Amino acid sequence: MRIVSLLLLTLFIATGCCSQKKADMTSTQIEYSAMSRGYYKSILVQDKSVSVVKERNGEAVQSKIDDAKWSEIVSAYSKVNLDSLSSLKAPTDKRTYDGAAIGNLKITKDGKTYETPGFDNGFPPKEIKKLVDLLVDFSKE
């Protein structure tokens, strides 16, 4: 356990994050979902692992996240203002006429849930674009 803790601490120091952010990520769950009548995707990231479901009632495919990808996720997450998630504005409105699936980002930290309003899948608000793009990459693998 000490070795794992030391490795995680080293990883966060190397990426420029403070040790407080490490504690934040260990108690944090990030979920991206996108759905429409004929489309479904759910990506859940927590504790250096990811779970991807690509169809309604489908089986979750779980895998570990490598250190490089995890560092990118931590970096993108550290730039997200959780308190402002609920007030983000979608840059496009295709979802209102079935032109795009409805995307949603939900972050649960220390038992409190922060969630965006719906936005077009593939066109997240700029404040969360990097994080959403990193999450969506897992469904392409």
Side-chain angles (χ1 to χ4, degrees):
M1 188 64 184
R2 283 183 169 176
I3 293 172
V4 172
S5 297
L6 184 57
L7 288 173
L8 286 174
L9 180 61
T10 302
L11 172 68
F12 286 104
I13 290 171
T15 59
C17 294
C18 62
S19 60
Q20 178 63 34
K21 188 53 72 182
K22 173 186 161 201
D24 290 346
M25 285 302 293
T26 58
S27 63
T28 301
Q29 175 178 302
I30 305 171
E31 181 178 6
Y32 176 72
S33 62
M35 59 189 76
S36 67
R37 285 184 278 176
Y39 182 83
Y40 182 86
K41 180 188 308 183
S42 176
I43 303 160
L44 179 67
V45 170
Q46 183 175 15
D47 296 329
K48 291 187 81 172
S49 67
V50 61
S51 175
V52 178
V53 179
K54 292 185 180 181
E55 59 186 41
R56 281 179 176 75
N57 303 317
E59 291 288 320
V61 176
Q62 296 183 335
S63 60
K64 293 288 183 188
I65 301 172
D66 66 52
D67 290 342
K69 184 81 164 191
W70 183 250
S71 292
E72 288 183 78
I73 291 169
V74 169
S75 176
Y77 168 77
S78 70
K79 295 174 181 148
V80 173
N81 180 345
L82 296 178
D83 294 323
S84 71
L85 278 185
S86 64
S87 63
L88 293 179
K89 301 292 182 215
T92 57
D93 286 322
K94 295 178 183 181
R95 68 196 175 286
T96 61
Y97 57 85
D98 288 338
I102 299 170
N104 181 273
L105 180 68
K106 181 167 53 170
I107 299 175
T108 304
K109 178 181 173 227
D110 298 328
K112 184 171 181 183
T113 300
Y114 306 86
E115 193 167 359
T116 64
F119 55 86
D120 293 348
N121 181 43
F123 301 94
K126 68 179 184 248
E127 296 88 349
I128 59 170
K129 183 173 179 16
K130 179 66 176 174
L131 181 60
V132 169
D133 289 348
L134 287 167
L135 298 176
V136 169
D137 282 348
F138 288 115
S139 67
K140 295 176 184 175
E141 297 174 354

